[in-house]
Amino acid sequence: MPAHPDWLIPAWPVPGNVHAVCTTRAGGTSAEPYDSLNLGDHVGDHTLDVGANRAILHAAVRAAPVFLSQVHGTRVVQLDATTPHGTEADACLTSEPGVACAIMVADCLPVLLTDEEGTRVAAAHAGWRGLAGVRGQGVLETIVERFKASALANRAQGATKIIAWLGPCIGPDAFEVGAEVKSAFEQNDPRVASLFKPLSQGKWLADLPGLARLRLRAQGVTQIYGNDGSPAWCTVGNPSRFFSHRRDRVSGRMAACIWLD
């Protein structure tokens, strides 16, 4: 079964054995308000519909997605064929072919990673809490460090070059946050001030993909593709294509997946 034509296939310069996709609402079996390809089993949808939707994804990617229990933290898990669904983590990596790193989203930012050699892949769930982290150590810093360490452990010398792709998320014209969110980022990097636009007293519009790009570049990741913060990537602003928890409150979940042949 091929991927649904509405799903997003990253346009990025990766080796031929690296594959990735980000689902949209299209192509599933769930009824409103989860219509139609809801992949989340924790949002109130019927269990059989979620199972059918995950089977559709599995058949399309021809790999086995591992669905995590995401808690807006920074924990990373190494995946293999025995890793159970529901493992608590907000990022994952693998070098095992046929196992897909999968991140579910409905406003938070999915980040997919691979290296120029196509030896390993990774995925991260970057909402603002996980992205900000603690004292500047967030989910992206953690996954990049683990990715580099895993690569170096399996090669004699030299550093790996990481390629990243950002999927759809709540956009910079829709992500209203309080001063505590702005402070969580500014206390570790004053450069982020330009990524927050004043909205009203104590309220700001935050550029989530812009914040992720800044954090990735600080880790030496310079090849970054996908979400540039433009309206087409905004989950809130495209209701016919993307799920959005902030827009709908009761919402399904999409998945960004990456795997090796």
Side-chain angles (χ1 to χ4, degrees), residues 18-255:
V18 176
H19 303 279
V21 68
C22 183
T23 65
T24 64
R25 300 184 71 132
T29 64
S30 294
E32 294 183 10
Y34 308 103
D35 49 322
S36 64
L37 191 71
N38 167 47
L39 297 164
D41 62 359
H42 61 293
V43 295
D45 195 3
H46 293 296
T47 300
L48 292 178
D49 286 337
V50 176
N53 292 338
R54 290 186 174 187
I56 289 169
L57 176 63
H58 191 164
V61 303
R62 290 177 291 180
V66 177
F67 293 97
L68 306 174
S69 175
Q70 300 167 191
V71 295
H72 299 274
T74 62
R75 181 171 183 257
V76 177
V77 62
Q78 179 88 30
L79 302 183
D80 59 34
T82 67
T83 306
H85 295 306
T87 297
E88 188 173 294
D90 281 273
C92 52
L93 74 161
T94 189
S95 57
E96 186 168 320
V99 176
C101 298
I103 292 296
M104 288 187 290
V105 290
D107 283 331
C108 292
L109 175 70
V111 180
L112 304 181
L113 307 166
T114 188
D115 56 20
E116 288 187 331
E117 296 80 21
T119 62
R120 63 204 70 245
V121 293
H125 167 234
W128 80 262
R129 289 180 179 85
L131 192 59
V134 178
R135 292 186 292 275
Q137 181 72 21
V139 68
L140 293 185
E141 286 79 14
T142 304
I143 189 62
V144 169
E145 288 174 5
R146 277 286 298 274
F147 197 99
K148 290 178 178 178
S150 176
L152 288 172
N154 289 280
R155 57 197 297 174
Q157 59 185 358
T160 188
K161 291 187 177 180
I162 298 174
I163 308 171
W165 183 83
L166 312 184
C169 71
I170 187 169
D173 294 327
F175 192 23
E176 181 179 328
V177 301
E180 76 283 359
V181 176
K182 185 170 182 284
S183 176
F185 286 94
E186 279 188 325
Q187 63 185 344
N188 295 294
D189 188 348
R191 295 176 301 169
V192 305
S194 63
L195 298 172
F196 290 86
K197 295 181 179 179
L199 185 61
S200 61
Q201 186 66 32
K203 298 294 183 181
W204 304 78
L205 287 173
D207 184 348
L208 190 60
L211 290 165
R213 286 174 179 268
L214 191 66
R215 302 294 281 263
L216 286 169
R217 290 191 185 103
Q219 295 297 304
V221 180
T222 58
Q223 297 187 70
I224 308 171
Y225 300 85
N227 190 340
D228 59 1
S230 59
W233 293 94
C234 180
T235 48
V236 174
N238 294 277
S240 64
R241 193 174 200 197
F242 300 133
F243 291 117
S244 169
H245 176 72
R246 179 164 294 209
R247 181 190 63 228
D248 300 329
R249 307 314 296 175
V250 177
S251 172
R253 296 293 186 271
M254 304 170 292

